[in-house]
Amino acid sequence: MLRSLVGSEMCIRDRNLKIPDVTQMTFPSREIHLPIALADRWTQAAVDQYRSLVRPRASYLPSNVDFLAANNGLASADEACATLTNSKWLVVGVGFYLGCPFAIPFDPRCRLEVPKYNPARTYTPDGAVGMGGPYLAIYPIECPGGYQLFGRTIPTWETFGTRDPFTANQPWLLSLFDTLVWEPVSEDELEQIRRDALAGRYTYDIREATFDMQAQKQFEDSVSQEVEALRSQQDRAQEAQREIEAKILAELDVEKASAPPAPPPVQIGEGMEVVEADLSGTVLKLLVGPGDTVVEDETVVCVVEAMKMEVQIKSGLTGSVGSVLVGAGQVISSGDPICTVAPK
């Protein structure tokens, strides 16, 4: 047994000695140029929905881009966007959600940092680009999320892999060690490019490249003093933002504690029955009103946010809606009445 263990250890040692110096290594890569609309209306709409339905105030509201600037000691949202797009980005992870790429900038002077949402959003548009900690991510589809949003790009996921450059074996765009290059465009330009991409008329700009560890190390060494100054600037800015966030959270706690008591139980009229909530959450949308006809197990009466997901509540009755008993933004519990129905 001892002889076997010694032999295995020597074998591992010999193999380790054959590993080349990592600082001298190069890796095959692809340089992928993607258009991006910065501080766009689509991601801002997701932020606005979050404000109206999840959390009205936070250090990162009403603008994630303004928060990106403030949390890193930058003068403006424009400076934050310019910083994020001035560097190429290295993809260091792919996954978590349908080929979602995570990347860091080659230029350490462009490594901005932000905390994630607390709590998370229930909705993020596909193609949204955001920051969480020091990492950038591109949301491949509409989904919940917590990264601070600063722009939107073209599709990076194609479910069936039928459009180039996607394939059935790889319906996601980005792979490890790919290089991202951002090309800012207007909202109108991005809208047209997205239409072309979804219709298969757009050619993704993908170029063969090489990632050189030695060149990257030399570059980082050459800007180390600038990076050190930036980190000190970020530390001061982030401490100020943490204080702002703590103050806002304390105010929200006071408001919650002083909220008016729950209303008395709803009185149901004679001949009426009640559609009840299947789960607890926040009402996002009401889809019926008094006089509307509903069909059992078919008609969606409202949409509720619960555990980062949007859940449809269907009518368990067929008939005519009498009154709606909840409002958008209202927090409800399982079993709470949603609306009354006169059965047919």
Side-chain angles (χ1 to χ4, degrees), residues 97-180:
Y97 203 71
L98 295 179
C100 177
F102 298 90
I104 57 173
F106 279 80
D107 189 339
R109 297 168 299 180
C110 297
R111 287 178 189 165
L112 304 187
E113 297 179 359
V114 281
K116 295 169 63 177
Y117 275 45
N118 176 30
R121 290 181 308 276
T122 59
Y123 168 75
T124 311
D126 71 282
V129 185
M131 293 291 300
Y135 297 102
L136 174 148
I138 304 173
Y139 287 80
I141 64 171
E142 289 185 5
C143 60
Y147 277 32
Q148 306 290 341
L149 305 177
F150 69 90
R152 194 183 191 195
T153 187
I154 56 178
T156 60
W157 172 269
E158 207 281 306
T159 300
F160 300 104
T162 56
R163 298 192 309 268
D164 189 63
F166 307 98
T167 66
N169 291 329
Q170 184 172 321
W172 61 92
L173 177 64
L174 293 146
S175 300
L176 287 174
F177 294 111
D178 280 349
T179 298
L180 273 172

Side-chain angles (χ1 to χ4, degrees), residues 328-343:
Q330 182 175 334
V331 177
I332 59 174
S333 299
S334 178
D336 282 355
I338 302 297
C339 63
T340 60
V341 173

Side-chain angles (χ1 to χ4, degrees), residues 43-344:
T43 55
Q44 186 58 47
V47 176
D48 293 341
Q49 176 177 305
Y50 176 85
R51 288 180 65 201
S52 64
L53 297 174
V54 180
R55 183 175 169 185
R57 300 192 305 282
S59 55
Y60 48 85
L61 299 175
S63 167
N64 290 178
V65 187
D66 286 344
F67 178 63
L68 268 163
N71 200 62
N72 290 277
L74 304 180
S76 66
D78 287 343
E79 184 180 1
C81 288
T83 300
L84 291 168
T85 55
N86 279 345
S87 175
K88 296 181 179 180
W89 291 71
L90 179 68
V91 176
V92 294
V94 177
F96 175 69
Y97 203 71
L98 295 179
C100 177
F102 298 90
I104 57 173
F106 279 80
D107 189 339
R109 297 168 299 180
C110 297
R111 287 178 189 165
L112 304 187
E113 297 179 359
V114 281
K116 295 169 63 177
Y117 275 45
N118 176 30
R121 290 181 308 276
T122 59
Y123 168 75
T124 311
D126 71 282
V129 185
M131 293 291 300
Y135 297 102
L136 174 148
I138 304 173
Y139 287 80
I141 64 171
E142 289 185 5
C143 60
Y147 277 32
Q148 306 290 341
L149 305 177
F150 69 90
R152 194 183 191 195
T153 187
I154 56 178
T156 60
W157 172 269
E158 207 281 306
T159 300
F160 300 104
T162 56
R163 298 192 309 268
D164 189 63
F166 307 98
T167 66
N169 291 329
Q170 184 172 321
W172 61 92
L173 177 64
L174 293 146
S175 300
L176 287 174
F177 294 111
D178 280 349
T179 298
L180 273 172
V181 181
W182 294 115
E183 297 184 349
V185 297
S186 69
E187 289 182 351
D188 289 345
E189 288 173 321
L190 182 67
E191 199 165 29
Q192 182 59 54
I193 295 171
R194 285 181 58 84
R195 280 198 294 265
D196 290 342
L198 291 170
R201 297 189 299 265
Y202 179 77
T203 300
Y204 284 72
D205 187 350
I206 301 175
R207 312 171 192 182
E208 295 302 317
T210 301
F211 176 59
D212 188 322
M213 292 286 288
Q214 184 177 27
Q216 178 65 22
K217 172 97 171 38
Q218 289 173 346
F219 171 69
E220 291 186 6
D221 289 344
S222 72
V223 297
S224 59
Q225 291 186 344
E226 294 176 68
V227 173
E228 186 176 346
L230 173 62
R231 296 295 174 261
S232 297
Q233 171 184 305
Q234 289 174 317
D235 288 343
R236 293 190 298 272
Q238 289 163 16
E239 179 60 31
Q241 291 303 309
R242 283 192 289 268
E243 291 177 2
I244 292 172
E245 179 72 355
K247 181 180 178 181
I248 293 173
L249 287 171
E251 292 172 351
L252 292 173
D253 285 342
V254 170
E255 293 171 10
K256 184 177 180 179
S258 60
V266 174
Q267 300 298 317
I268 308 302
E270 186 177 350
M272 306 295 287
E273 296 188 29
V274 175
V275 175
E276 296 180 345
D278 300 314
L279 74 172
S280 301
T282 302
V283 178
L284 295 180
K285 304 173 189 174
L286 287 166
L287 301 177
V288 296
D292 289 348
T293 298
V294 294
V295 178
E296 181 179 1
D297 296 333
E298 291 185 13
T299 305
V300 178
V301 297
C302 70
V303 178
V304 173
E305 179 277 316
M307 297 296 290
K308 297 187 181 182
M309 301 299 292
E310 297 185 7
V311 181
Q312 296 180 344
I313 293 182
K314 294 182 178 180
S315 174
L317 303 164
T318 296
S320 177
V321 175
S323 57
V324 177
L325 307 174
V326 297
Q330 182 175 334
V331 177
I332 59 174
S333 299
S334 178
D336 282 355
I338 302 297
C339 63
T340 60
V341 173
K344 290 184 179 178

